[in-house]
């Protein structure tokens, strides 16, 4: 029975094509329902007629593809064809059996090289194997035929030097092998796909242009090479009288071939490399196999190095982008604190990652007043930083037109609820400071209460009844404000949970009680108080990396 096999998340899920028409799409009514927003409700269908199968696109938004080519009309499907609907990949399995690598359930496919260029053929296996060699350390025994091996390793090292892309590296490996073995006619390299764990042909080479474009491989030999990590020599299987009974082997028309595993530094197979010759007078010998092992060992190291270099380059690119994002986010925070006669301000911001979700701002509004905004987006990293940047612009624009703090927060909340990202709420404190009469109006949207330190060192906080729900949770929530007179020498401390929940190496929290006690004993000036609290948090952490953004704002009226 023909199947479509869904290849997703490292798993292969088969769907038998039992109907005349099998539809694929998002709708539950589809024969095969595909969960992806990039797949149309009715995306494509597979039509069965007289044992043949065709794929038809149903005017989908993101197209349907067969072996990487977008289709515009009904397209016949062949065994092992790759079918993509939007971003979702399937493998079509016709009546021809799939080729498995024994117990590992790996399938040899060819979606990165032309169809038919690698043909895996079943056989009776062990009879074709004329010799094998364990790949000790990836290079074999270097004390056997050392001069030839060293020359081969130096040659391939020189030809591969400076190549950092695997796509460029693999053809060079085959070119070098053809130089080392001038009688080789065909060669191919199969690499294990990291996501699907399948073996994929990635490079093919023919010495003659008029040669058959299909490289034929023995499944049994591949099994032994990949699973037992052995290099295999198969010599003159087509003409040796001992193999007359094996018709499938004769059909391979391989006079002599060598196949070796590509082993990583951890001695795990990355793939296999295979060359063969159809010249009956130039068969490969055991000495050739030893050289082949040495070359395969160096080739595997080059492949692994190229992968590591590609990962490193990509990491550098991401790090550079994150540095830019960090600078953009820091630009959203105030560069300097306002200079208000009789008042002092301090702020400290340290993200746990390159960017974070903590936010603070102080800016003048109408009537000689100042808006003080302080928030913490749920989560951290890039998602939280994006919400933080949105919040920053909303707060600034809202308070330019609405100076009554409760009304402003109601509008900000409604805006954050509109197209809110699931799970990305914001705990937030907003205050309007009137320095002319020394009053402050505060709204608390799900955040920890500000700590008020009076001139005589007492600690006061708002009751829990004055705390509303975080921003972005419920549209239309009626926030209310609390007014308070700021006395001479009174200081206000705003902080995120990165302060109170800072942990040391014994996983002990800094804690609210310690914070309150320390603030009570700290100097009354905002700048000094903020600095000593931050140092005390660092002292408690004792070098343990922070697991959350740590942000503080301290402001107060001078004595």
């Amino acid at each position: 029975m023909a199947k479509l096999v869904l290849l997703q998340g490292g798993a292969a899920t088969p769907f038998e094509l039992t109907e005349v028409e099998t539809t694929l799409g998002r709708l539950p009514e589809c024969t095969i329902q595909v969960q992806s927003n990039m797949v149309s409700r009715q995306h494509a269908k597979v039509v069965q007629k007289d044992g043949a199968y065709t794929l038809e696109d149903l005017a989908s938004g993101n197209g349907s593809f067969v072996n990487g080519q977008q289709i515009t009309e009904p397209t016949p499907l062949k065994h092992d064809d790759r079918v993509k609907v939007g971003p979702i990949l399937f493998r079509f399995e016709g009546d021809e059996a799939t080729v498995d690598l024994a117990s590992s359930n790996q399938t040899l496919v060819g979606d990165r090289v032309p169809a038919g260029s690698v043909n895996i053929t079943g056989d009776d296996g062990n009879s074709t194997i004329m010799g094998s060699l364990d790949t000790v350390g990836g290079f074999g025994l270097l004390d056997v035929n050392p001069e030839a091996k060293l020359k081969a390793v130096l040659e391939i090292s020189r030809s591969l030097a400076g190549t950092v892309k695997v796509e460029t590296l693999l053809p060079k490996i085959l070119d070098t092998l053809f130089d080392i073995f001038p009688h080789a006619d065909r060669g191919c390299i199969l690499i294990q796909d990291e996501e699907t764990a399948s073996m994929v042909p990635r490079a093919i080479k023919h010495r003659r242009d008029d040669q058959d474009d299909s490289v034929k491989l023995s499944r049994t030999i591949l099994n032994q090479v990949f699973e037992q990590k052995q290099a295999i020599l198969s010599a003159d299987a087509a003409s040796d009288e001992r193999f007359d009974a094996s018709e499938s082997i004769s059909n391979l028309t391989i006079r002599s071939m060598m196949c070796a595993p590509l082993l990583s530094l951890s001695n795990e197979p990355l793939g296999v490399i295979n060359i063969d010759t159809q010249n009956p007078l130039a068969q490969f010998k055991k000495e050739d196999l030893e050289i082949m092992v040495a070359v395969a060992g160096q080739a595997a190291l080059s492949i692994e190095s190229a992968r590591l270099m590609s990962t490193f380059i990509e990491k550098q690119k991401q790090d550079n982008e994150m540095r830019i994002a960090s600078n953009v986010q820091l630009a959203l925070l105030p560069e300097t604190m306002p200079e208000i006669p009789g008042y002092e301000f301090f702020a400290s911001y340290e993200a746990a990652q390159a960017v974070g979700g903590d936010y603070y701002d102080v800016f003048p509004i109408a009537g000689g007043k100042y808006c003080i905004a302080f928030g913490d987006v749920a989560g951290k990293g890039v998602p939280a930083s994006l919400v933080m940047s949105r919040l920053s612009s909303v707060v600034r624009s809202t308070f330019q037109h609405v100076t009554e703090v409760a009304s402003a927060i109601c509008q900000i909340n409604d805006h954050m609820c509109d197209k809110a990202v699931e799970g990305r709420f914001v705990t937030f404190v907003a205050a309007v400071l009137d320095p002319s009469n020394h009053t402050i109006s505060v709204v608390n949207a799900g955040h920890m209460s500000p700590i008020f330190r009076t001139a005589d060192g007492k600690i006061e906080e708002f009751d829990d009844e004055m705390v509303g729900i975080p921003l972005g949770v419920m549209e239309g929530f009626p926030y209310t404000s609390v007014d308070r007179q700021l006395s001479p020498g009174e200081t206000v401390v705003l902080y995120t949970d990165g302060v109170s929940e800072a942990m040391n190496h014994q996983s002990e929290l800094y804690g609210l009680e310690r914070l309150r006690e320390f603030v009570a004993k700290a100097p009354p000036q905002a700048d000094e108080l903020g600095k000593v609290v931050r140092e005390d948090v660092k002292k408690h952490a004792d070098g343990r990396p922070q697991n959350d953004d740590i942000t503080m704002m301290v402001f107060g009226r001078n004595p």
Side-chain angles (χ1 to χ4, degrees):
M1 176 65 67
K3 303 182 185 71
L4 274 181
V5 180
L6 173 64
L7 305 174
Q8 192 174 35
T13 306
F15 296 91
E16 291 191 354
L17 303 176
T18 58
E19 306 292 337
V20 175
E21 288 189 2
T22 301
T23 56
L24 297 86
R26 275 203 334 270
L27 290 178
E29 294 80 11
C30 292
T31 314
I32 301 176
Q33 186 181 11
V34 181
Q35 300 293 342
S36 173
N37 291 331
M38 297 181 67
V39 173
S40 299
R41 289 178 295 177
Q42 287 190 327
H43 195 105
K45 65 179 180 180
V46 177
V47 180
Q48 175 186 357
K49 185 177 181 181
D50 298 329
Y53 295 83
T54 58
L55 179 69
E56 215 172 310
D57 185 77
L58 299 178
S60 64
N62 290 306
S64 302
F65 301 78
V66 176
N67 296 326
Q69 300 295 319
Q70 185 169 2
I71 64 171
T72 56
E73 55 186 18
T75 302
L77 293 177
K78 303 184 299 297
H79 176 69
D80 254 349
D81 276 350
R82 259 31 187 182
V83 174
K84 282 186 70 175
V85 291
I88 306 301
L89 178 64
F90 293 83
R91 181 180 69 242
F92 174 74
E93 293 185 0
D95 294 332
E96 179 182 351
T98 58
V99 182
D100 294 329
L101 283 181
S103 60
S104 62
N105 293 324
Q106 295 165 327
T107 304
L108 292 157
V109 298
D111 59 352
R112 289 185 176 88
V113 293
S117 53
V118 174
N119 182 18
I120 312 300
T121 307
D123 53 52
D124 63 359
N126 293 329
S127 59
T128 69
I129 298 174
M130 310 302 295
S132 64
L133 185 66
D134 290 332
T135 53
V136 180
F139 290 92
L141 298 173
L142 293 179
D143 56 345
V144 179
N145 200 8
E147 293 182 2
K149 288 183 179 181
L150 180 59
K151 180 181 178 182
V153 169
L154 290 175
E155 187 170 344
I156 195 167
S157 298
R158 183 170 55 250
S159 65
L160 302 181
T163 306
V164 297
K165 292 185 177 180
V166 175
E167 293 76 9
T168 306
L169 184 72
L170 298 181
K172 285 188 175 183
I173 293 174
L174 290 178
D175 291 342
T176 307
L177 275 175
F178 274 46
D179 292 337
I180 296 173
F181 301 106
H183 48 294
D185 291 321
R186 301 177 301 186
C188 67
I189 297 176
L190 290 83
I191 300 295
Q192 185 179 43
D193 189 275
E194 294 178 345
E195 295 183 0
T196 64
S198 59
M199 292 287 289
V200 182
R202 296 289 297 275
I204 293 176
K205 182 175 176 63
H206 304 277
R207 189 176 295 279
R208 298 188 301 273
D209 294 335
D210 60 347
Q211 191 173 353
D212 176 16
D213 66 344
S214 177
V215 175
K216 298 179 177 64
L217 301 176
S218 161
R219 178 175 58 187
T220 302
I221 289 176
L222 286 175
N223 284 343
Q224 183 164 338
V225 170
F226 197 84
E227 295 172 1
Q228 300 183 24
K229 304 173 187 177
Q230 288 184 327
I232 298 299
L233 171 66
S234 176
D236 210 5
S239 60
D240 195 305
E241 62 182 7
R242 289 175 295 175
F243 305 129
D244 288 343
S246 179
E247 180 181 353
S248 63
I249 295 174
S250 299
N251 289 337
L252 292 174
T253 65
I254 296 176
R255 298 297 182 264
S256 183
M257 61 83 68
M258 294 188 294
C259 189
L262 298 166
L263 300 180
S264 67
L265 288 173
S266 58
N267 206 39
E268 292 300 320
L270 303 171
V272 297
I273 184 168
N274 178 90
I275 61 171
D276 66 55
T277 176
Q278 298 189 68
N279 184 351
L281 301 179
Q283 297 182 8
F284 293 122
K285 301 179 177 61
K286 186 68 176 290
E287 294 79 5
D288 296 325
L289 186 63
E290 293 172 353
I291 296 175
M292 177 77 164
V293 169
V295 171
Q298 181 61 38
L301 291 181
S302 299
I303 292 172
E304 199 162 32
S305 297
R307 284 180 172 178
L308 292 174
M309 181 59 70
S310 297
T311 302
F312 175 71
I313 293 173
E314 184 63 27
K315 181 65 165 57
Q316 281 190 318
K317 179 181 177 182
Q318 292 176 357
D319 289 346
N320 185 53
E321 291 175 350
M322 291 303 293
R323 280 192 293 270
I324 296 173
S326 178
N327 292 334
V328 171
Q329 185 177 34
L330 290 176
L332 298 176
L333 304 176
E335 294 183 4
T336 59
M337 292 289 99
E339 295 183 2
I340 305 174
Y343 284 83
E344 189 175 277
F345 286 81
F346 167 85
S348 171
Y349 171 81
E350 293 185 41
Q353 301 177 12
V355 291
D358 285 2
Y359 159 75
Y360 69 90
D361 203 355
V362 183
F363 54 91
I365 57 177
K369 301 177 182 179
Y370 286 83
C371 173
I372 299 169
F374 193 87
D376 183 1
V377 179
K380 49 185 175 288
V382 174
S385 71
L386 294 174
V387 178
M388 175 271 194
S389 62
R390 180 184 178 192
L391 175 65
S392 172
S393 63
V394 172
V395 170
R396 283 263 179 171
S397 61
T398 302
F399 272 96
Q400 293 301 320
H401 305 284
V402 182
T403 58
E404 201 282 313
V405 63
S407 298
I409 297 306
C410 288
Q411 292 191 25
I412 293 171
N413 175 60
D414 290 345
H415 187 96
M416 297 302 292
C417 286
D418 184 33
K419 298 181 180 179
V421 180
E422 183 179 354
R424 296 293 171 182
F425 59 86
V426 184
T427 63
F428 189 71
V429 173
V432 171
L433 172 65
D434 186 348
S436 62
N437 56 21
H438 308 296
T439 59
I440 184 171
S441 297
V442 183
V443 171
N444 190 334
H447 201 77
M448 290 80 69
S449 171
I451 296 177
F452 293 87
R453 182 191 185 278
T454 62
D456 57 359
K458 292 182 180 179
I459 298 298
E460 297 179 6
E461 296 176 281
F462 288 135
D463 295 333
D464 292 341
E465 290 77 11
M466 306 309 301
V467 179
I469 65 174
L471 301 181
V473 174
M474 185 176 74
E475 189 173 359
F477 185 83
Y479 292 95
T480 58
S481 61
V482 180
D483 297 333
R484 181 185 176 94
Q485 190 80 25
L486 289 181
S487 304
E490 189 168 354
T491 308
V492 184
V493 178
L494 297 169
Y495 60 95
T496 61
D497 53 9
V499 175
S500 58
E501 296 179 2
M503 289 190 292
N504 58 20
H505 292 284
Q506 290 74 41
S507 298
E508 297 170 341
L509 296 178
Y510 184 77
L512 283 175
E513 284 304 318
R514 177 168 176 170
L515 178 61
R516 294 184 183 113
E517 292 174 3
F518 193 86
V519 169
K521 299 176 183 178
Q525 293 80 12
D527 185 62
E528 293 184 24
L529 189 152
K531 289 179 180 178
V532 296
V533 170
R534 185 66 190 94
E535 288 302 317
D536 194 55
V537 172
K538 286 185 176 180
K539 180 180 178 182
H540 171 78
D542 193 25
R544 174 169 175 165
Q546 63 189 80
N547 59 0
D548 201 355
D549 306 330
I550 297 178
T551 306
M552 291 179 56
M553 182 188 288
V554 183
F555 65 95
R557 186 178 173 186
N558 295 335

